[in-house]
Amino acid sequence: MAQKGLHVTPKGEKWAVRSAGSTRAARVVETQKEAISIAKERAKREGSEMYVHGRDGRIRERSTYGKDPYPPKG
């Protein structure tokens, strides 16, 4: 079974951690750094991926924990 990814997204002046496909945030915190820390711990525990979005909503960083579904060649 594929694991859901976690997204760190802006929510107003704050930052949210939410599961992929979820409209409701699991956590809303003051800083992006704090949101990344929460998402990273959870992604490591679940063996899933973490996506960090910028203020413009575009994904600016992606990290895989556990088994990488798209490992680099070579």
Side-chain angles (χ1 to χ4, degrees):
M1 183 173 135
Q3 297 289 324
K4 284 187 173 183
L6 294 167
H7 293 257
V8 175
T9 61
K11 182 173 176 68
E13 294 298 317
K14 297 183 178 183
W15 291 88
V17 177
R18 65 182 78 224
S19 297
S22 175
T23 57
R24 186 172 172 200
R27 294 277 305 269
V28 177
V29 294
E30 295 291 328
T31 65
Q32 185 183 42
K33 184 177 181 181
E34 187 179 358
I36 290 170
S37 176
I38 292 167
K40 186 182 287 186
E41 284 182 31
R42 191 167 152 195
K44 284 180 179 178
R45 191 173 55 241
E46 296 175 357
S48 62
E49 293 183 280
M50 177 183 72
Y51 301 89
V52 179
H53 297 250
R55 279 275 175 211
D56 61 0
R58 297 178 65 176
I59 294 172
R60 67 176 183 85
E61 182 182 331
R62 175 182 164 197
S63 299
T64 302
Y65 301 95
K67 186 177 179 186
D68 188 352
Y70 305 105
K73 293 181 179 178

